[in-house]
Amino acid sequence: MFATGNVTVVVSNMDASVRFYTEVLGLKLQYRFGDHWASVEVGKGLTIGLHPASEHSIPGRKGSMSIGLELTGSIHEAVRALEAKGVKFQGVVNEGKSGSFVGFEDPDGNSLYLAQLNWSHVDQGEGKYQHA
């Protein structure tokens, strides 16, 4: 069901955060989509995703870090399978240009989300895509 995963960190300044994770910590910038997202590779399969702050996601507060699980198949099938096991999702699947996403929590209230990514808009040269 899952292809890979990441830890998403909500940041207040994308440029400063990318510099910190790459220049200060020495991690590798995998991808950057302008100020919308950056993936920093830690090694052995861990990716740290940097996401800009919003009124709903404030850096340094509960919910400003979450674990993302990238799916190999349909997000709707994964939701049905996990709901059958008692997982309660936070609203409906949010479908956008970059993919489909839906959040949930573990038993302790830690944030997780499922992601069915759509890379076709990147292949079409849309947005500020940089492959490091």
Side-chain angles (χ1 to χ4, degrees):
M1 180 184 309
F2 303 114
T4 186
N6 71 69
V7 176
T8 300
V9 180
V10 176
V11 300
S12 59
N13 181 306
M14 186 64 71
D15 290 331
S17 295
V18 168
R19 276 193 304 274
F20 174 78
Y21 282 95
T22 59
E23 296 173 18
V24 175
L25 296 184
L27 304 178
K28 182 179 184 223
L29 178 64
Q30 194 74 25
Y31 300 100
R32 179 157 181 191
F33 299 91
D35 287 335
H36 303 288
W37 179 265
S39 291
V40 181
E41 190 72 26
V42 178
K44 295 209 180 216
L46 177 62
T47 299
I48 298 173
L50 305 177
H51 193 279
S54 71
E55 65 182 72
H56 302 292
S57 298
I58 301 168
R61 293 196 181 159
K62 179 176 172 41
S64 64
M65 293 184 79
S66 59
I67 298 171
L69 301 172
E70 184 180 337
L71 298 166
T72 57
S74 162
I75 194 167
H76 298 287
E77 289 175 15
V79 166
R80 283 192 293 277
L82 293 172
E83 282 179 333
K85 295 180 178 183
V87 173
K88 305 281 187 230
F89 287 89
Q90 302 161 336
V92 297
V93 173
N94 178 359
E95 300 188 27
K97 184 193 280 189
S98 61
S100 301
F101 306 86
V102 64
F104 61 102
E105 294 181 342
D106 72 7
D108 292 313
N110 297 305
S111 297
L112 295 96
Y113 65 91
L114 300 180
Q116 181 182 347
L117 300 178
N118 174 12
W119 291 90
S120 65
H121 71 286
V122 172
D123 295 335
Q124 297 167 3
E126 296 180 33
K128 296 179 181 176
Y129 171 73
Q130 298 173 354
H131 182 71

